[in-house]
Amino acid sequence: MKALFLVFYGFQEYNGISKKIRYQISALEKCGMDVRTCYYEVTPNGGRQWMINDEVLVDLGKGMIAKLKKRISFRAIIRYIIKEKIPFVYIRSYHNANPFTIHFVKALKNHGVKIFLEIPTYPYDQEYFSVKEKIELYADKLFRHTFCKYIDAIITYSNDTEIFGKRTIRLSNGIDFNHIPLRNSTKNINNELHLIGVAEIHFWHGFDRLIKGLGTYYNSNPEYKVYFHLVGNMSGKREQDEILTPIKKYGLKPYVTLYGAKHGEELNELFNHADFAIGSLGRHRSGIYNIKTLKNREYAARGFAFAYSETDDDFDQMPYVLKLSADESPINIPQLITFCRSQAMLPSEIRASIHHLSWEEQMKKIYEDARSNHTITKL
């Protein structure tokens, strides 16, 4: 079965979302799909183009006109789908419902194409907080129900059975075990503890709660040292202020290290020197309390015990998980230390506990639904 996987942006080697999309595509191919990846790319000289796999589908040119074409013209993609007789399109949502994307999906429906839309985080409105972002979101809020009239199913990692009037296919974020190595064996933590957090850092990750907790902890001049290794670029000024201000305020520079984005062996080495991982601590800030994050699964695949504050049905009862409160309180570092000292599971045992969360198992649900005779949206 032919399929087109559509992404409205390009790929970055260090980016977790880019890796996830590659893993999803690989899993669909293992299920038996012939997947073409369609994505938008900006070249080093400023050229803008739609790509199919590694070949240019259409060159949009440079400058403002090229940027505008990217947002309003999808004719080349429509023509390709029709020419190649592709019956199934999987779209990763970019929160960009508007008259032009509506025309795009409507044109595909006119040719009998089955369309699934993945909404990676739902609800997502509260992730937009600046005036500029809220203006961009306004169009999506205005048109998304109309856009979804032409969608057959929505992929979600929430527990919602219906979104924007459409049935959902509920997945867990998956893991490609071939690309995520198991950490080295655990180290002795009698004298010190090394924490690691990895993300493209947004306010909803809540790492500032951990840093403030470290500030409180070090105010008592403890002998036992706790270090936090934060890996990833900060997405904006809000995040910079939330992370850098408490580091300076509490004098935490010796205990908190900021690395920026890392991938490959550099990232593996950082993980191998860590003892415990930190997931999201602020999802409540964007109005989300139930979510199945990719990062939790990556930590478990590497063999780490870890902490988070949301509800994640796949992990909430796991003995290697420390559930923290979904509020603004600083993290209780002595509680975290006690939990880490109580851990007895081997990294290999933690990894084995999530074998059912492989991307192949998750995307098999998409493959089977796409091939089924489930009612297709009619015009």
Side-chain angles (χ1 to χ4, degrees):
M1 180 182 187
K2 292 182 179 179
L4 184 99
F5 197 115
L6 175 61
V7 186
F8 289 99
Y9 44 85
F11 293 92
Q12 297 170 310
E13 188 177 0
Y14 63 82
N15 184 278
I17 294 172
S18 295
K19 292 176 184 176
K20 168 186 170 177
I21 293 168
R22 296 294 193 197
Y23 298 156
Q24 287 179 298
I25 292 166
S26 175
L28 286 173
E29 290 173 337
K30 288 176 182 176
C31 289
M33 277 190 170
D34 174 9
V35 184
R36 326 292 172 85
T37 307
C38 181
Y39 59 97
Y40 176 72
E41 182 176 79
V42 181
T43 64
N45 67 358
R48 297 171 185 275
Q49 51 200 24
W50 280 109
M51 306 289 293
I52 298 286
N53 296 338
D54 294 323
E55 297 184 0
V56 177
L57 175 64
V58 59
D59 190 336
L60 302 176
K62 300 179 182 179
M64 289 303 299
I65 293 178
K67 288 183 180 180
L68 184 63
K69 284 181 181 178
K70 181 248 183 172
R71 294 177 179 270
I72 69 173
S73 179
F74 303 98
R75 284 177 295 180
I77 302 173
I78 294 169
R79 285 197 298 265
Y80 178 84
I81 291 168
I82 295 170
K83 176 188 172 186
E84 294 294 318
K85 296 184 172 66
I86 296 173
F88 174 59
V89 172
Y90 187 104
I91 302 174
R92 182 180 167 92
S93 173
Y94 199 47
H95 308 165
N96 60 338
N98 59 54
F100 305 102
T101 54
I102 290 170
H103 176 268
F104 169 62
V105 291
K106 184 177 180 179
L108 296 183
K109 295 312 299 180
N110 278 329
H111 287 86
V113 176
K114 197 171 191 177
I115 308 171
F116 287 179
L117 176 71
E118 178 185 328
I119 301 180
T121 303
Y122 180 83
Y124 55 80
D125 289 352
Q126 292 186 62
E127 293 185 354
Y128 293 78
F129 59 92
S130 72
V131 173
K132 180 177 180 291
E133 289 173 336
K134 287 181 178 179
I135 290 171
E136 292 174 351
L137 178 66
Y138 179 76
D140 181 76
K141 292 174 74 172
L142 196 61
F143 292 106
R144 59 196 180 194
H145 281 87
T146 304
F147 177 86
C148 286
K149 281 171 56 180
Y150 305 103
I151 300 298
D152 295 291
I154 289 178
I155 314 305
T156 183
Y157 302 95
S158 70
N159 291 326
D160 296 273
T161 57
E162 183 178 291
I163 295 176
F164 304 146
K166 285 296 173 181
R167 70 180 179 94
T168 63
I169 302 172
R170 287 171 287 170
L171 301 185
S172 291
N173 265 302
I175 288 296
D176 188 325
F177 290 96
N178 293 325
H179 289 88
I180 299 180
L182 184 66
R183 64 182 291 201
N184 290 347
S185 57
T186 54
K187 306 192 305 296
N188 186 307
I189 60 170
N190 288 337
N191 299 315
E192 60 186 30
L193 180 68
H194 288 264
L195 312 176
I196 188 169
V198 181
E200 181 180 310
I201 302 164
H202 292 270
F203 69 95
W204 60 76
H205 288 117
F207 292 130
D208 55 291
R209 293 183 61 198
L210 181 70
I211 294 169
K212 290 172 184 174
L214 285 170
T216 302
Y217 178 71
Y218 278 110
N219 275 343
S220 63
N221 297 312
E223 283 189 25
Y224 189 82
K225 303 303 180 187
V226 179
Y227 300 89
F228 182 37
H229 304 269
L230 184 52
V231 184
N233 293 329
M234 287 178 256
S235 61
K237 187 177 185 304
R238 173 176 177 173
E239 287 74 14
Q240 290 175 0
D241 291 343
E242 288 177 342
I243 298 295
L244 299 179
T245 300
I247 292 175
K248 183 177 180 180
K249 177 181 177 181
Y250 295 108
L252 293 174
K253 197 169 182 182
Y255 307 109
V256 179
T257 305
L258 308 177
Y259 294 88
K262 299 293 181 184
H263 66 276
E265 283 307 311
E266 279 189 300
L267 181 59
N268 293 340
E269 279 303 304
L270 289 172
F271 270 116
N272 284 333
H273 285 94
D275 304 304
F276 186 82
I278 305 297
S280 296
L281 304 177
R283 280 288 177 177
H284 59 279
R285 295 174 178 175
S286 56
I288 294 174
Y289 293 87
N290 291 270
I291 190 171
K292 298 175 179 179
T293 68
L294 181 60
K295 192 55 60 183
N296 288 350
R297 284 138 189 82
E298 290 180 348
Y299 288 154
R302 287 183 180 270
F304 276 90
F306 55 95
Y308 59 81
S309 65
E310 69 271 9
T311 294
D312 185 330
D313 294 337
D314 292 329
F315 288 104
D316 284 351
Q317 304 304 317
M318 291 295 190
Y320 52 81
V321 165
L322 174 62
K323 282 292 298 291
L324 299 169
S325 58
D327 56 35
E328 293 303 310
S329 61
I331 299 305
N332 185 320
I333 300 302
Q335 175 197 15
L336 193 152
I337 294 169
T338 299
F339 181 83
C340 290
R341 285 174 168 168
S342 72
Q343 288 304 293
M345 288 186 72
L346 297 173
S348 58
E349 293 173 328
I350 295 174
R351 183 179 175 98
S353 74
I354 62 161
H355 275 310
H356 63 289
L357 295 179
S358 71
W359 270 124
E360 193 167 349
E361 286 298 315
Q362 295 303 309
M363 298 307 285
K364 188 184 296 182
K365 301 172 189 176
I366 304 302
Y367 172 72
E368 291 172 351
D369 200 303
R371 295 190 67 212
S372 73
N373 292 321
H374 201 291
T375 303
I376 297 176
T377 298
K378 303 292 185 182
L379 294 181

